[in-house]
Amino acid sequence: MNLTILVILLIGLVASAVVCVALSDLLKAAIALAITSAILSIIMFLMGAPLAAVFELSVCAGMITVVFISACSMSRIYTRKEHEQRQKARNRRFLLLPALLVALAVVVFLVLSPHITGVSPIPSGGSGSGVQAALWGSRQVDLIGQIILILTGVYGVIVFFKEKEADGK
Amino acid sequence: MPLLMIGIPLLAVILLNLGPRRWISKQTALYTALAATALQMALAAYMCFTVGIGSVSSIRFVEKLSVDLFSAVTLFTIGLVAMISLLVSRDASEGSRFSFFNLLLLIVAGMNGLVMVTDVFSLYVFMETVSAASFVLIAINKRGQELAGAFKYYMLSAVATVLMLTAICFLFLCAGSTGFAEVAACVSAKGNSPTLIAAFLLFTSGLMIKCGMVPFHTWVPDAYSNAPAPVSVLLGGIVTKVSGVYVLMRVYRDVFLNNAAVGNVLFALGIVSILVGALVAIGQDDFKRMLAYSSISQLGYIVLGVATGSPLGFVGALFHFFNHATFKSLLFVDAAAIETQTGTRSMSHMGGLAKRMPYTGVSSIIAFLSTAGIPPLSGFWSKLLIVIAVWRVSPALAMVALAASILTLAYFLVMQRKVFFGKPTEETREVREAGGNTVLAQVILSAVNILAGLAFPLLLFYLQGIGAL
Amino acid sequence: MSLLFALFLIGVILLFAIGIYSLLVTTNLIRVLVSIEVLTKGVTLMLIAVGYATGQMAQAEAYVITIIVIEVILLAIATGIVLGLYRESGDILTHDIPTPKE
């Protein structure tokens, strides 16, 4: 397992996040978010968390993108002039971001470097799923919480996504 | 036994959804929900008396839930406020009441879980559950203002969640697990390592956003005032408090072990919240917004009590927690009654309501006297305990807290004068008293306030007897 | 701490910075949701890093899965709110931070 691969992936992660946030077209931003999720998923797989990687990929890169793109379809269609104005204002705002990030990275690295000792071995990908099952044995309370949450989500969807009826209830 | 507390609301949800709509009328649904909350109150009261200072752990299916005196009191309060909210929903009727009942039961189940867990990560899970349900509840009628308030709450809540999760990551790093016991062991062993301090600060910041402390309070007025009436009762009476202040109290006492650095931050934020909340409340015209700022102020008192780290402060904070649930809920019920009958929340448009809405008027007087800390009502005792506890640590702060009580009195007197006395305006000329259920709610809460106030000295002696003080 | 952990930590801080910057600067509601998603990715990365550093990867995985499920549901609810706002105020998705007064 090579350290450089992970570093490249990390840089890719941050870069796609910047792109995702700075793009003016919402559709492309959603795709960039999906790419970010994919890279994160690969990182997780390489670090020895295959189950989490699968979840991240299917749920985030898949479902969330669907949600966003369907939400994006509601954007107002701006006139050309308005569009150009908004582009300019937007780009001015986001110009600062990459520079800020690089500076931040350097500062944090300098702060941390005295503490860095060595390189621990990276676990090889694919730790047993048997451990996972044992884990759900000790995380049952969270499961109950998630059940409640899912039910809440169902009602949320019912409340929000139903078209307004004409007082028929 | 603790599992029952989650199981009962869930069971009620299942019951409500069992058959096709025709089978279950709104009456039945309401009574089922009421039964669930009443049952919860009964069980919680029972547990209060049997638990003492020890704790009851569920040993069967899920071993991670435990109930101690603190949790039991909170459970009782949750049941009480939920029941009141149900009563109010009867009269302030809008469509989609089925969703409201289900969501209310779900949020109660979530809060019950929240007060019973013994693991920091589970705290996060249940807090998110409660938040999710409250977003939907705030916006349940899908009006513009409500949706905007809900979205703002979501934004700030998401940021708070990220902060707290990061803090949980640090705690995980230190302790290798996230249970209360393990993390507490790590804290007492490593004390002031930078990782732990970072964790404390991050976690506290996230919590302060959820509590609505200054300067993170911006979502509170919008969310509280724009929500529909029974939701405001629920939200202001219990939800923000459980998912904010309860977590703070639990974590501060059992996990952070009364760390001094965090304590100082809490002192600062608490005092500022008390003052800012009171000062801004004076200038408000919207009735519910004023109540929202008043809540910010009162929660500041609770945070102050917790910050002292002493058992006296803690008991004072806990009692104020219970009192705030009762008197703030009562005020919100009154606000709901007024809003339904007059159609407005603007105080400058109200006047002379005392004659036409006697129950509302009297109960609001009782509630505000309790808020301002006038003896012999319950609010007086809890404030007294907190002020004494703070006095032992810093007399100056205690004086400020006392002075803020006067401010509280001020804005409530202004409110009383505008709303209940004075000349009737156009909107208020034709109103009648609120419907039966609302009046019932008002009577219940007023009675609780008065009785709690009268009974408190006895409670103090009992606590001293069992050695909790 | 090991080098890898430090690198992860830097990545997490950068992601947080991106998310918060975007949250402060944007005027579009959907973009707010995207920023919150970026913040969530930061936390997920952090959790993985901590799992690696303590050797408790399996626990960390369980946490990550839970977080993903929770965040998705919350996002769905938030999208529902945005949908409601869209229907109310026409087809504009912008708002003025900090007070979305209608």
Side-chain angles (χ1 to χ4, degrees):
Chain A
M1 245 338 85
N2 220 329
L3 195 61
T4 49
I5 293 187
L6 276 171
V7 171
I8 294 176
L9 282 175
L10 275 177
I11 295 182
L13 186 69
V14 174
S16 60
V18 173
V19 164
C20 160
V21 146
L23 274 182
S24 52
D25 184 358
L26 274 180
L27 209 61
K28 296 196 184 118
I31 296 181
L33 188 64
I35 293 180
T36 314
S37 294
I39 298 181
L40 183 61
S41 161
I42 298 176
I43 292 180
M44 283 202 278
F45 185 74
L46 288 177
M47 292 293 287
L51 212 54
V54 165
F55 252 85
E56 170 81 24
L57 197 60
S58 57
V59 170
C60 293
M63 212 179 99
I64 292 189
T65 308
V66 165
V67 167
F68 273 133
I69 293 186
S70 61
C72 288
S73 65
M74 295 183 287
S75 282
R76 186 169 85 157
I77 304 193
Y78 296 110
T79 63
R80 177 139 227 116
K81 190 135 180 252
E82 271 184 347
H83 193 72
E84 275 172 13
Q85 272 178 341
R86 297 178 67 84
Q87 283 274 49
K88 279 213 188 67
R90 203 190 162 68
N91 290 340
R92 234 180 303 133
R93 281 196 295 241
F94 278 103
L95 217 49
L96 202 46
L97 190 58
L100 197 67
L101 289 180
V102 169
L104 193 59
V106 169
V107 164
V108 174
F109 192 72
L110 290 176
V111 165
L112 286 179
S113 39
H115 301 279
I116 296 181
T117 51
V119 184
S120 309
I122 303 170
S124 54
S127 54
S129 303
V131 190
Q132 264 319 101
L135 230 36
W136 284 118
S138 64
R139 284 270 129 219
Q140 281 169 329
V141 184
D142 295 346
L143 275 180
I144 298 181
Q146 285 179 66
I147 292 175
I148 301 178
L149 190 66
I150 292 176
L151 286 173
T152 314
V154 165
Y155 280 105
V157 166
I158 291 178
V159 166
F160 289 127
F161 288 93
K162 224 164 51 148
E163 290 292 333
K164 280 188 184 157
E165 297 182 359
D167 285 16
K169 298 221 338 216
Chain B
M1 170 73 103
L3 204 57
L4 268 183
M5 299 306 270
I6 303 186
I8 294 178
L10 279 180
L11 191 64
V13 169
I14 296 178
L15 280 181
L16 278 183
N17 292 316
L18 218 38
R21 281 296 167 77
R22 281 171 281 119
W23 287 11
I24 304 184
S25 69
K26 292 212 167 117
Q27 285 279 80
T28 327
L30 179 63
Y31 289 138
T32 319
L34 275 177
T37 52
L39 196 55
Q40 165 161 342
M41 278 170 61
L43 277 178
Y46 170 69
M47 276 197 277
C48 269
F49 289 119
T50 57
V51 161
I53 341 180
S55 71
V56 169
S57 292
S58 172
I59 34 179
R60 291 173 305 157
F61 167 51
V62 178
E63 337 80 59
K64 290 295 174 62
L65 297 176
S66 90
V67 176
D68 60 5
L69 186 61
F70 181 22
S71 311
V73 171
T74 317
L75 283 170
F76 182 78
T77 320
I78 294 175
L80 180 64
V81 177
M83 196 173 78
I84 298 290
S85 178
L86 280 170
L87 285 176
V88 173
S89 77
R90 187 73 189 285
D91 297 328
S93 64
E94 295 270 352
S96 66
R97 271 207 253 133
F98 255 106
S99 298
F100 174 72
F101 292 147
N102 280 310
L103 282 167
L104 182 134
L105 287 169
L106 284 172
I107 208 175
V108 165
M111 285 193 284
N112 289 347
L114 187 56
V115 307
M116 293 193 293
V117 290
T118 55
D119 184 297
V120 189
F121 187 74
S122 304
L123 274 181
Y124 154 73
V125 172
F126 280 97
M127 278 175 80
E128 289 302 283
T129 307
V130 169
S131 305
S134 43
F135 299 146
V136 182
L137 278 174
I138 294 178
I140 202 168
N141 290 321
K142 290 184 284 204
R143 282 196 292 251
Q145 289 267 21
E146 297 173 5
L147 290 165
F151 193 79
K152 200 162 173 213
Y153 182 17
Y154 170 72
M155 256 193 345
L156 285 173
S157 174
V159 173
T161 303
V162 168
L163 287 174
M164 283 194 290
L165 271 179
T166 317
I168 292 177
C169 282
F170 283 141
L171 291 177
F172 181 37
L173 188 60
C174 252
S177 158
T178 53
F180 282 168
E182 290 92 338
V183 178
C186 174
V187 169
S188 54
K190 291 208 202 136
N192 287 316
S193 75
T195 325
L196 279 182
I197 301 260
F200 293 164
L201 287 178
L202 283 172
F203 198 84
T204 314
S205 314
L207 268 184
M208 290 295 109
I209 298 181
K210 292 245 179 202
C211 285
M213 289 288 110
V214 174
F216 308 117
H217 64 289
T218 42
W219 62 270
V220 175
D222 290 320
Y224 277 29
S225 52
N226 293 329
V231 174
S232 287
V233 171
L234 201 58
L235 213 56
I238 195 68
V239 170
T240 334
K241 297 216 304 295
V242 167
S243 79
V245 177
Y246 171 86
V247 174
L248 178 69
M249 289 164 83
R250 172 65 73 193
V251 166
Y252 191 61
R253 191 175 71 153
D254 294 336
V255 176
F256 292 167
L257 302 175
N258 298 328
N259 181 289
V262 178
N264 291 335
V265 169
L266 290 178
F267 268 123
L269 290 180
I271 273 287
V272 171
S273 301
I274 295 179
L275 287 175
V276 169
L279 286 171
V280 178
I282 296 185
Q284 291 298 318
D285 182 51
D286 181 332
F287 193 20
K288 274 187 178 174
R289 268 184 104 88
M290 183 193 82
L291 290 181
Y293 281 108
S294 169
S295 292
I296 295 177
S297 184
Q298 296 305 313
L299 286 183
Y301 276 102
I302 300 181
V303 169
L304 216 55
V306 174
T308 61
S310 62
L312 187 66
F314 193 82
V315 168
L318 182 59
F319 197 47
H320 203 64
F321 179 96
F322 174 74
N323 288 335
H324 184 90
T326 53
F327 59 62
K328 209 25 87 61
S329 307
L330 183 51
L331 283 170
F332 272 113
V333 168
D334 290 333
I338 295 178
E339 193 177 0
T340 323
Q341 300 298 336
T342 65
T344 175
R345 293 203 305 257
S346 162
M347 289 197 285
S348 46
H349 287 162
M350 301 180 201
L353 282 174
K355 278 209 203 97
R356 305 194 138 274
M357 304 180 83
Y359 285 103
T360 310
V362 169
S363 58
S364 78
I365 292 182
I366 294 179
F368 103 75
L369 286 178
S370 197
T371 317
I374 309 288
L377 292 170
S378 45
F380 165 69
W381 296 109
S382 52
K383 272 201 184 161
L384 186 67
L385 284 185
I386 294 180
V387 168
I388 292 179
V390 173
W391 183 281
R392 289 185 188 168
V393 173
S394 153
L397 284 182
M399 294 302 298
V400 175
L402 267 182
S405 281
I406 304 185
L407 281 176
T408 316
L409 202 57
Y411 62 75
F412 273 117
L413 279 176
V414 166
M415 180 272 279
Q416 283 288 323
R417 202 174 58 79
K418 273 193 203 163
V419 173
F420 290 102
F421 304 105
K423 288 200 289 265
T425 63
E426 304 182 358
E427 288 95 342
T428 62
R429 209 157 286 159
E430 298 291 318
V431 299
R432 294 169 293 129
E433 180 56 87
N437 279 8
T438 314
V439 170
L440 180 61
Q442 290 169 341
V443 167
I444 292 179
L445 283 177
S446 310
V448 169
N449 257 308
I450 299 177
L451 288 175
L454 293 175
F456 191 62
L458 297 172
L459 187 66
L460 266 184
F461 290 139
Y462 169 69
L463 282 175
Q464 274 181 330
I466 59 177
L469 279 181
Chain C
M1 63 179 86
S2 72
L3 179 64
L4 189 57
F5 185 69
L7 285 175
F8 268 121
L9 210 52
I10 295 179
V12 169
I13 294 180
L14 287 183
L15 278 178
F16 280 174
I18 295 174
I20 294 182
Y21 185 89
S22 169
L23 201 54
L24 291 173
V25 164
T26 186
T27 56
N28 187 325
L29 286 180
I30 299 269
R31 227 169 264 287
V32 167
L33 296 183
V34 167
S35 320
I36 292 178
E37 269 306 293
V38 171
L39 286 175
T40 310
K41 306 242 170 297
V43 175
T44 314
L45 191 64
M46 177 85 195
L47 209 42
I48 295 287
V50 168
Y52 157 71
T54 59
Q56 304 247 12
M57 205 43 149
Q59 276 261 17
E61 260 188 280
Y63 291 152
V64 167
I65 292 178
T66 311
I67 289 178
I68 292 178
V69 169
I70 293 178
E71 289 300 319
V72 155
I73 297 184
L74 277 174
L75 196 80
I77 293 180
T79 310
I81 298 179
V82 171
L83 189 65
L85 276 171
Y86 162 72
R87 283 193 193 139
E88 281 290 316
S89 65
D91 41 9
I92 302 176
L93 289 179
T94 59
H95 72 130
D96 297 338
I97 299 177
T99 38
K101 285 212 164 53
E102 290 292 321

